Amino acid sequence: MHFAFKIHHHPCFCSPIIMARGRTLLFSVLIFVAFTQIRTLVVVAGEPQVPCYFIFGDSMVDSGNNNGLVTAAKANYPPYGIDFPQGVTGRFTNGRTIADIIGQFLGFVNYIPPYATVTNQEISTGVNYGSGTAGIRDETGSQLGDRVSYDKQLLNHAKIISRLSLLQHNVTFTQEYLKKCVYISVIGNNDYINNYLMPDNYPTSRIYTIDQYASVLAKQYSKQLTTLYKLGARKIAVFSLGLIGCTPFEIAQFGTDGRPCVESINDAVSRLNNRLKPLVDDLNNDFSDARFTFINLTSISTPPEGVTLPTQPCCQLRADGQCVPNSIPCPNRNLTIFYDGFHTTEIANTAFATRSYTALSPMDASPYDISHLAQL
Ligand SMILES: *[C@@H]1O[C@H](CO)[C@@H](O)[C@H](O)[C@H]1NC(C)=O
Ligand SMILES: *[C@@H]1O[C@H](CO)[C@@H](O)[C@H](O)[C@H]1NC(C)=O
Ligand SMILES: *[C@@H]1O[C@H](CO)[C@@H](O)[C@H](O)[C@H]1NC(C)=O
């Protein structure tokens, strides 16, 4: 085994995390974020900037695809959804996900429906394929039960395209239409949390060094993104993994040795993150009409110098890091980064979505942030 950790039962992941060094300026940071969001929303009110928006990924974006699956990794019970207008939906947070908020920035009035329940009337504005515990690798997350792996999400997308072609009665039209959509891809977290870091359940840490594993994942992800391109996608935002070593669950599991986070986990994850920007550049070079862009959640979730953020989860945690069903969550959810042991609150998701959409630093998104991607 090349990795020094042993982790048990991590249900689903979520991700971008904020360095934890205290709690002083959290309030003003979040207020700033909320204002930025409101301003942006006003600007985009009206027609959506693109006709369609497709979402691929894990529990960071899942909006109910796991509800009907046999798995421990589902969030279709209170207190999940406590701040969401429709209440419990299967979202792994108190309110909106990062995908929901980006959709609002793009001007979509309704949330993009989950693949599991989407109707033909709804597919032309896009579909959400995200699934908790899903990974780049097919076996990832299997110790908790069923999930829709990234490969399976791509197969589901092919099925949706067939349905859309039938509805639109014109294959050329459908092909042109799909090129105009925005696609986001948020995957890879579970290939660590629910695979490599669980040597009792998966052999990957015995087969690969940390660096080899990152390389194998990057190769597979590159093929998958090529498939997405071949299915007609052109405007594709590829999200980095989050700082998994900063999640309350991992911190409780391993301790941090006086540091804010479990540095060895963040280091392992950064091996893959560092490969994603070159991967995006290669895809843009290989396909001249492709517009892939890299969204850097490390940059986006690291607070300004001197600002320290709390890592206490808001809800009462089950042994597996999800919320205890029907438990009463913390009242100050706008001042909390983590909702459960892995997943961020709506306010944190708002901060991540805001900077993905409109980059604050050139490091946040390259070559384009999502607002520019939409306009290309
Ligand atoms: C099919 O769509 C293309 C592209 O929008 C259009 O140019 C063409 O006229 C359409 N064909 C038919 C038969 O409507
Ligand atoms: C992502 O952001 C981090 C933190 O700002 C930075 O160290 C890293 O170089 C960035 N990665 C890329 C590919 O820009
Ligand atoms: C919390 O933030 C949301 C925006 O994410 C806002 O709509 C809500 O009013 C805020 N709640 C409080 C109590 O400040």
Side-chain angles (χ1 to χ4, degrees):
M1 187 182 98
H2 301 287
F3 204 87
F5 297 111
K6 242 173 128 91
I7 306 188
H8 314 279
H9 299 315
H10 304 195
C12 27
F13 171 64
C14 173
S15 68
I17 308 325
I18 302 215
M19 302 291 286
R21 281 199 206 88
R23 65 190 60 208
T24 34
L25 290 174
L26 173 63
F27 189 70
S28 50
V29 169
L30 296 185
I31 292 295
F32 169 75
V33 162
F35 275 124
T36 315
Q37 178 204 12
I38 288 156
R39 207 183 50 215
T40 315
L41 279 177
V42 169
V43 171
V44 300
E47 277 291 288
Q49 298 175 39
V50 287
C52 33
Y53 170 40
F54 289 95
I55 299 154
F56 295 81
D58 56 28
S59 56
M60 247 186 98
V61 298
D62 189 349
S63 60
N65 285 312
N66 278 17
N67 294 353
L69 302 183
V70 180
T71 174
K74 42 182 150 187
N76 57 348
Y77 61 84
Y80 290 107
I82 188 168
D83 298 314
F84 195 72
Q86 287 78 41
V88 169
T89 58
R91 285 169 172 79
F92 290 79
T93 180
N94 59 310
R96 293 166 295 160
T97 66
I98 187 170
D100 293 330
I101 300 163
I102 290 170
Q104 291 177 321
F105 288 159
L106 288 169
F108 290 93
V109 173
N110 297 316
Y111 297 115
I112 300 301
Y115 176 79
T117 57
V118 73
T119 63
N120 276 351
Q121 284 66 45
E122 297 168 319
I123 58 176
S124 65
T125 51
V127 177
N128 184 339
Y129 304 101
S131 167
T133 69
I136 293 168
R137 294 171 69 88
D138 281 345
E139 83 273 14
T140 289
S142 55
Q143 92 283 359
L144 288 164
D146 208 2
R147 70 268 155 227
V148 188
S149 69
Y150 203 81
D151 281 339
K152 186 82 189 299
Q153 292 181 33
L154 290 167
L155 289 173
N156 288 344
H157 186 50
K159 290 182 197 159
I160 287 290
I161 292 174
S162 303
R163 282 163 67 179
L164 192 60
S165 296
L166 284 175
L167 288 170
Q168 294 181 334
H169 303 297
N170 180 337
V171 173
T172 314
F173 179 85
T174 301
Q175 283 167 349
E176 292 303 314
Y177 187 82
L178 290 168
K179 290 180 185 172
K180 297 176 192 155
C181 314
V182 163
Y183 300 74
I184 69 167
S185 181
V186 185
I187 198 82
N189 298 297
N190 291 308
D191 295 295
Y192 288 89
I193 296 178
N194 286 304
N195 190 325
Y196 197 77
L197 301 178
M198 301 189 76
D200 290 348
N201 299 78
Y202 300 90
T204 44
S205 62
R206 289 180 289 276
I207 300 172
Y208 304 113
T209 64
I210 290 171
D211 220 50
Q212 286 168 345
Y213 190 60
S215 169
V216 163
L217 287 175
K219 281 206 188 82
Q220 188 170 353
Y221 197 17
S222 178
K223 282 196 192 123
Q224 289 162 333
L225 291 170
T226 300
T227 300
L228 185 56
Y229 170 85
K230 292 192 169 152
L231 288 170
R234 293 297 178 269
K235 303 175 176 193
I236 306 160
V238 177
F239 282 69
S240 76
L241 280 63
L243 298 174
I244 293 169
C246 301
T247 55
F249 190 87
E250 304 298 357
I251 289 174
Q253 197 85 348
F254 297 110
T256 61
D257 231 351
R259 311 284 298 279
C261 302
V262 187
E263 294 302 327
S264 47
I265 295 182
N266 285 345
D267 177 65
V269 168
S270 74
R271 309 291 179 99
L272 176 57
N273 281 342
N274 291 340
R275 286 172 162 86
L276 294 181
K277 174 68 171 84
L279 184 159
V280 157
D281 292 339
D282 287 348
L283 290 168
N284 283 335
N285 287 333
D286 290 351
F287 307 110
S288 60
D289 62 341
R291 302 289 182 265
F292 285 91
T293 193
F294 172 72
I295 306 294
N296 188 345
L297 284 178
T298 305
S299 157
I300 285 172
S301 58
T302 303
E305 195 74 30
V307 178
T308 51
L309 301 174
T311 53
Q312 285 301 312
C314 175
C315 74
Q316 198 186 325
L317 299 189
R318 230 163 46 178
D320 65 6
Q322 281 195 226
C323 297
V324 171
N326 301 307
S327 57
I328 308 295
C330 66
N332 53 341
R333 293 181 291 277
N334 277 0
L335 301 177
T336 308
I337 300 300
F338 288 98
Y339 196 57
D340 65 12
F342 299 98
H343 302 99
T344 44
T345 54
E346 175 177 87
I347 192 81
N349 293 341
T350 303
F352 305 144
T354 301
R355 283 180 72 166
S356 314
Y357 188 74
T358 308
L360 274 185
S361 140
M363 207 70 105
D364 291 353
S366 63
Y368 326 103
D369 61 22
I370 294 173
S371 70
H372 288 102
L373 185 68
Q375 297 303 321
L376 292 169

